[in-house]
Amino acid sequence: MSVYDYDVTLENGETYSLRKYENHPMLIVNTATKCGLAPQFKELERIYERYRAQGLVVLGFPSNQFHQELSDSQAAAQQCRTTYGVTFPMHQIHDVNGKNALPLFDYLTSHQTGKLTRAIKWNFTKFLVDANGHVLERFAPTTTPQKMIPAIEQLLAKSL
């Protein structure tokens, strides 16, 4: 299995297969617009702008599981666009832990656990996925996107 075996839904309700991004490295992030870490959206957008020509895809998955997200997926995506200039795809609001978790996040957390547990502890947990759809690395919420650049560049060098 790989991340390509999952379907996800954009904030506008359009469902698609992650197979759409086959042969592209991905950075998958659980997000929340009202989180104190929300300024990371700007850094994530800079990474997306800098590396998308090399094939990198950044995908935002809002979650209100930590009570820091708007209740409407489209409103959350719009806030990301207007406040932080986000142009990468944003998805519908879903749980990232527990029985109602988006299946993609069950897959991600089963392949890259946290330090103490597999569960996502906070917003802005980030997963780096290779061009074959395999989860390579998990970054803590407080790891800034800027600090992930060496891992991203190493992944992109292998993908060429």
Side-chain angles (χ1 to χ4, degrees):
M1 281 195 81
S2 75
V3 297
Y4 301 136
D5 295 312
Y6 294 92
D7 291 341
V8 294
T9 306
L10 292 167
E11 92 276 348
N12 66 4
E14 176 189 332
T15 298
Y16 69 97
S17 170
L18 285 175
R19 198 159 299 284
K20 170 181 181 175
Y21 299 119
E22 199 163 17
N23 301 315
H24 291 272
M26 291 183 266
L27 183 59
I28 298 174
V29 186
N30 80 295
T31 64
T33 56
K34 298 189 300 183
C35 178
L37 299 173
Q40 286 189 24
F41 277 118
K42 282 187 180 182
E43 287 183 65
L44 290 165
E45 178 62 24
R46 277 188 288 241
I47 284 173
Y48 182 57
E49 290 172 2
R50 181 175 173 183
Y51 296 108
R52 75 174 156 194
Q54 295 173 54
L56 182 70
V57 178
V58 176
L59 301 173
F61 288 87
S63 175
N64 194 30
Q65 204 153 21
F66 306 107
H67 311 290
Q68 295 190 317
E69 185 54 273
L70 302 172
S71 59
D72 177 84
S73 298
Q74 288 184 305
Q78 186 59 37
Q79 183 165 337
C80 291
R81 288 184 195 101
T82 57
T83 305
Y84 301 105
V86 166
T87 62
F88 55 82
M90 292 297 296
H91 296 78
Q92 286 196 338
I93 298 169
H94 283 286
D95 285 354
V96 293
N97 292 315
K99 66 179 179 174
N100 295 321
L102 186 65
L104 170 65
F105 277 85
D106 280 337
Y107 177 82
L108 294 169
T109 59
S110 70
H111 285 80
Q112 282 292 325
T113 60
K115 291 198 187 261
L116 299 176
T117 179
R118 143 183 182 174
I120 291 177
K121 293 294 186 189
W122 202 246
N123 304 306
F124 290 91
T125 298
K126 298 163 274 300
F127 295 89
L128 192 58
V129 177
D130 72 12
N132 296 313
H134 300 115
V135 188
L136 295 182
E137 201 163 345
R138 176 177 174 161
F139 296 93
T142 55
T143 300
T144 64
Q146 184 70 26
K147 289 181 181 174
M148 299 182 323
I149 287 177
I152 291 168
E153 289 181 346
Q154 182 178 22
L155 173 60
L156 290 172
K158 289 179 183 176
S159 297
L160 295 176

